[in-house]
């Protein structure tokens, strides 16, 4: 998947990335440093993802955002200075993002993602889309499928967060521990010892596009059963995506009361469609979906960035295909939907 | 508006108000500490204290994102403060470049905070903060990571288990005889080389002898009798005043040091014929004719020099060079001062890597690359940015819940490297774990039993090894009960120094004696019961048992297994470094909602909180804290 051939690390890189090389190995690090990544939407979650992959040592990160820094960003977006309110988010984030790791090529793009042609995306190995309406996500996902680009999308709404992955057909290797009998090293020790040995095994995962998840018939027998196990975060995210599509923005603290009313009506409508009781998303949760809470960005952005690292290094089985974080019980769970 | 309003927007007015008026202590400004600080500042915390003793190293920069290249060598706490203030200049951050284990940070210091967040990398400091939070009644959020795994837990006196409620696996230690006489694995040679470093340049420690041990019970039958008669002293060490004074008298000449260690001592070991009846004999090396032996053909790293396995000749060259450089540095130190082994110091690391490989060659053990030896010698448990970010996020989520007085929502959370069968990756336990009623720290009347040889253990060793290193006290006072006679006083003026050299038996401390130990700084009182035991060849010099049930024999094999799996670091060096420790993930502790059998199990565990849940499962995870980058702990 990663297009450039892995090249040797320099001594400086080996020193800087010492700890992570001890964890994921030299090969992974070499693949990582060939990966070019587009991050769309540089709010709290986008900033966390950028931070983690820049620290990890990818080849290049393009931060794309056509919007300006808002007051609300200040409680989670640490790459833009507090004085940058009103200035373009990605441009305002460049200096700090680059300072995280001078070896990574950090670029800024201030255009609207919806103005980008299909051609634009072919320069990337991975696309991560945040703060986009569903319509745009579907378009990006389709472009990525055509161009064999790994696609992620995700959001943090207040205390809640999720992400989705479409890696198409993804091949990876993973280390597994197997028991093996070893011959005694010294003749002193005559009995056969059983030792654990690590062996590398190949695997592959097949992903589905986002529209398969959105098109799920929740009244079908298969999904009726699944539904009962779904965390409330799942439904909340769906309601918020509808909200965004409907009014072309996220809920805002400045209009908290009317936004909560709108969220409630969207909930009633959407959950009815899915044949789900409205109890699944009690009113009280709607107090917790404003702006982005920094620790939640850190949690979701941490898991998402690790998935990107897994993907480009082709090491270990990726999460297939949705991750949700529930802030009430601190549960972070993966759901396999639409397959 | 302004960031006040935005924090209120995300948190809601009530929580925002609590956050705004809270005072928080972050202990540690490493990988997790940097992330915590960022989250706190952005979430509207206004009064934050942070303390860290460390300075910034290059190998921190891949995850400790508040530090950049120009900050290498500077105080972590100070730089973290400056960087975090840029995220929100309107907050107050008080930074201390200091150890939390200091008389300045006692109970009164802790009492000013609403919650304490630990972001430490070693067990000593964690134990200490645990005790101070218990003593001052302040909630503590404890956290750790190791690789892809992490853990966060809330500790509140009387409500949850404390950091020391569950016995931690003992650090992996190796019998002295194996290290000195019969190494069979690379780690034995690495441990020996670290001892050698200390014998030559570091803090001399009688437990870290590198010369042949003629008191080895396996060899004692006819152990190199002639040699023993002439050279060995009563402790079994070959007489050579000390390794250091011998080396000094030879001006640390690499050839002489080499010949002594890798020829004469090996010859001597060969004379202990019983050792080699069933082992392959070691082959002494001669300085002037080092055989041409290339690397073992297992070089992995193409270009990178640390990844190569040195040839024997290269080992000898690197040994000579590092020995010369280290002795030159050592000679510059003031009289009586010593060096401290540091895996990130080039010469110190080269010295240990080359000596370990030379010794490995002598004993027919596979040689390793410098990269691999560094992992083992430095006991590096790699830390990465993503896991640190996730764990720090959870820590601040816990802090918010503590301020909202929702302690019941702060069950221990595990971050797993792979999702469990329920596809959960970040997994909360179902219940808060209650305190262990037999805990040596947080139970109402803490008590432990210490097994040792009262006729051999000196008062000094009892204080240093048992009370300080093992029981983690800082400044203990010891009274023998019931008489109340003072054995040890932390007040140096009151302490009779001459008593330190006496054995416990000399001070009337014998089998069955009861001691009252009091650590003023930690506000910690402990009753210590003494049990006399003469240790065997492979036994530690002493052991500490908190739960009398654990005196039963089955436990030892278990803990050994855990220890070895873990390669866990000990707290010996609070100063050493880096990272972000871990605690770990015990699979069976995880709660799987909806499964009745598991539920029952969890409930049972809740009523019998401590003891081990280690079964023989092959996929079990470690139940003990691991620490990043601590020195390997070799007590014996
Ligand atoms: Zn306890």
């Amino acid at each position: 998947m990663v297009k450039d051939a892995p090249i040797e690390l320099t001594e400086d890189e080996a020193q800087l990335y010492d700890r992570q090389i001890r964890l994921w190995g030299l090969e992974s690090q070499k693949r990582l440093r060939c990966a070019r990544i587009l991050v769309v939407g540089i709010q709290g979650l986008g900033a966390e993802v950028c931070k983690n992959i820049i620290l990890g040592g990818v080849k290049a990160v393009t931060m794309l955002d056509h919007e300006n820094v808002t007051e609300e960003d200040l409680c989670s977006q640490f790459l833009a200075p507090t004085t940058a309110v009103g200035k373009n988010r990605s441009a305002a984030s460049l200096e700090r993002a680059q300072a995280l790791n001078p070896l990574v090529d950090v670029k800024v793009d201030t255009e609207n993602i919806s103005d980008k042609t299909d051609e634009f995306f072919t320069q990337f190995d991975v696309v991560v889309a945040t703060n986009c309406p569903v319509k745009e996500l579907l378009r990006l996902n389709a472009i990525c499928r055509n161009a064999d680009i790994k696609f992620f999308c995700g959001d943090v709404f207040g205390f809640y967060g999720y992400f989705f992955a479409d890696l198409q057909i993804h091949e990876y290797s993973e280390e597994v521990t197997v028991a093996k009998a070893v011959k005694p090293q010294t003749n002193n020790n005559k009995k056969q010892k059983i030792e654990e040995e690590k062996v590398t095994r190949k695997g592959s995962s097949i992903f589905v596009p986002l529209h398969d998840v959105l098109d799920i018939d929740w009244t079908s027998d298969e999904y009726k059963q699944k539904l009962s196990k779904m965390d409330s975060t799942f439904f909340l995210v769906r309601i918020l995506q509808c909200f965004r599509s409907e009014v072309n923005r996220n809920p805002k603290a400045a209009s908290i009361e009317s936004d909560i009313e709108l969220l409630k009506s969207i909930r009633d409508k959407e959950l009815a469609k899915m044949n789900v009781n409205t109890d699944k998303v009690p009113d009280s949760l709607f107090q917790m979906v404003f702006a982005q809470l920094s620790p939640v960005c850190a949690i979701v952005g941490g898991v998402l960035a690790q998935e990107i690292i897994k993907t480009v290094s082709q090491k270990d089985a990726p999460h297939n295909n949705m991750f949700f974080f529930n802030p009430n019980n601190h549960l972070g769970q993966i759901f396999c939907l639409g397959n | 508006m302004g960031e006040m309003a935005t924090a209120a927007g995300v948190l809601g007015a009530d929580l925002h108000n609590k956050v705004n008026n809270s005072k928080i202590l972050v202990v540690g400004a490493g990988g997790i500490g940097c992330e915590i600080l960022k989250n706190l500042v952005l979430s509207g915390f206004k009064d934050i204290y942070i303390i860290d003793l460390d300075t910034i190293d290059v190998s921190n920069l891949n995850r400790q994102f508040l530090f950049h290249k120009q900050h290498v060598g500077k105080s972590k706490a100070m730089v973290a403060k400056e960087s975090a203030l840029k995220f929100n200049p309107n907050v107050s951050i008080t930074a201390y470049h200091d150890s939390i284990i200091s008389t300045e940070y006692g109970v009164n210091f802790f009492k000013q905070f609403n919650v304490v967040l630990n972001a430490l990398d070693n067990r000593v400091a964690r134990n200490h903060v645990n005790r101070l939070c218990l003593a001052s009644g302040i909630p503590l959020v404890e956290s750790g990571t190791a690789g892809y795994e992490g853990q966060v837990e809330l500790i509140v006196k009387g409500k949850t288990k404390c950091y020391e409620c569950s016995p931690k696996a003992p650090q992996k230690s190796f019998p002295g005889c194996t290290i000195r006489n019969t190494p069979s694995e690379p780690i034995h040679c690495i441990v020996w080389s670290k001892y050698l470093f200390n014998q030559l340049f570091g803090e001399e420690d009688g437990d870290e002898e590198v010369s042949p041990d003629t008191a080895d019970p396996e060899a004692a039958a006819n152990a190199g009798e002639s040699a023993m008669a002439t050279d060995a002293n009563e402790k079994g060490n070959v007489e050579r005043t000390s390794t250091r004074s011998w080396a000094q008298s030879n001006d640390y000449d690499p050839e002489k040091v080499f010949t002594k260690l890798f020829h004469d001592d090996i010859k001597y070991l060969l004379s202990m014929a019983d050792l080699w009846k069933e082992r392959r004999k070691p082959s002494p090396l001669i300085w002037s004719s080092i055989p041409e032996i290339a690397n073992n053909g297992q070089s992995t790293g193409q270009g990178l020099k640390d990844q190569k396995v040195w040839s024997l000749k290269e080992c000898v060259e690197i040994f000579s060079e590092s020995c010369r450089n280290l002795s030159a540095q050592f000679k510059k130190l003031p009289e009586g001062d010593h060096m401290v082994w540091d895996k990130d110091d080039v010469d110190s690391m080269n010295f240990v890597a080359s000596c370990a490989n030379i010794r490995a060659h002598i004993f027919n053990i596979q040689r390793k690359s410098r990269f691999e030896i560094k992992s083992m010698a430095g006991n590096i448990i790699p830390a990465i940015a993503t896991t640190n970010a996730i764990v720090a996020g959870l820590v601040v989520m816990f802090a918010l819940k503590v301020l909202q007085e929702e302690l019941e929502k702060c069950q221990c959370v595990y971050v797993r490297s792979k999702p469990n069968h329920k596809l959960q990756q970040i997994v909360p336990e179902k219940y808060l774990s209650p305190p262990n009623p037999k805990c040596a720290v947080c139970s109402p009347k803490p008590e432990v039993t210490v097994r040792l040889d009262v006729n051999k253990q000196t008062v000094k060793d009892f204080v240093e090894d048992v009370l300080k290193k093992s029981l983690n006290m800082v400044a203990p006072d010891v009274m023998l009960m019931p008489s109340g006679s003072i054995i040890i006083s932390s007040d140096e003026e009151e302490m009779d120094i001459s008593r330190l050299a006496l054995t416990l038996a000399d001070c009337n401390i014998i089998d069955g004696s009861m001691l009252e130990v009091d650590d003023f700084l930690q506000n910690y009182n402990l009753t210590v019961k003494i049990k006399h035991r003469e240790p065997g060849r492979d036994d530690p010099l002493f052991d500490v048992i908190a739960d009398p049930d654990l005196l039963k024999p089955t436990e030892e094999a278990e803990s050994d297994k855990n220890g070895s799996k873990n390669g866990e670091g000990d707290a010996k060096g609070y100063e050493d470094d880096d990272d972000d420790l871990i605690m770990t993930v015990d699979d069976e502790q995880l709660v799987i909602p909806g499964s009745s059998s598991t539920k029952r199990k969890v409930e049972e565990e809740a009523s019998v909180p401590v003891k081990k849940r280690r079964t023989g499962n092959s996929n079990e995870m470690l139940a003990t804290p691991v620490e990043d980058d601590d020195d390997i702990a070799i007590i014996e």
Side-chain angles (χ1 to χ4, degrees), chain B residues 177 213-221 274-275 536-538:
Chain B
C177 304
D213 180 3
T214 56
D216 188 332
E218 264 193 41
D274 274 5
L275 291 178
R537 184 192 196 244
D538 293 344

Side-chain angles (χ1 to χ4, degrees), chain B residues 291-333:
Chain B
E292 285 288 350
I293 294 171
N295 59 52
N296 303 10
Q298 55 144 286
S299 169
T300 50
Q302 300 92 25
L304 295 169
K305 58 177 197 278
D306 263 26
Q307 301 278 342
K308 290 191 190 120
V309 179
W310 298 328
S311 72
L312 192 59
K313 280 224 152 107
E314 285 174 306
C315 289
V316 176
E317 280 159 24
I318 290 161
F319 160 78
S320 303
E321 188 197 357
S322 58
C323 183
R324 258 185 241 113
N325 292 348
L326 290 169
S327 60
Q329 287 173 48
F330 184 70
K331 282 177 206 156
K332 284 187 205 140
L333 294 176

Side-chain angles (χ1 to χ4, degrees), chain A residues 23 306, chain B residues 32 126 143-152 381-392 394 413-419 425-427 565-566 580-587 590 619-626 628:
Chain A
L23 185 64
Q306 192 56 49
Chain B
I32 299 177
R126 284 178 165 152
S143 64
T145 68
Y148 304 113
E149 296 177 353
Q151 181 177 344
V152 179
I381 293 171
I384 54 170
T386 50
T387 316
N388 284 340
I390 298 164
V391 161
L394 291 165
V413 177
Y414 300 93
V415 178
R416 299 172 53 99
S417 59
K418 290 180 178 152
Q425 188 194 3
I426 301 174
V427 192
K565 207 164 166 181
N566 222 328
D580 324 297
L581 58 23
I582 190 206
M583 328 189 357
T584 358
V585 185
D586 182 338
D587 216 12
L590 304 181
N619 67 346
E620 83 179 352
M621 294 177 120
L622 314 167
T624 23
V626 181
D628 180 292

Side-chain angles (χ1 to χ4, degrees), chain B residues 130 134 155 160-166 435-443:
Chain B
N130 179 48
L134 291 168
I155 295 169
T160 70
K161 65 180 184 184
C162 81
Y163 180 68
E164 295 170 88
C165 269
S166 314
N436 169 12
K438 288 171 182 162
C439 177
V441 175
C442 73
S443 63

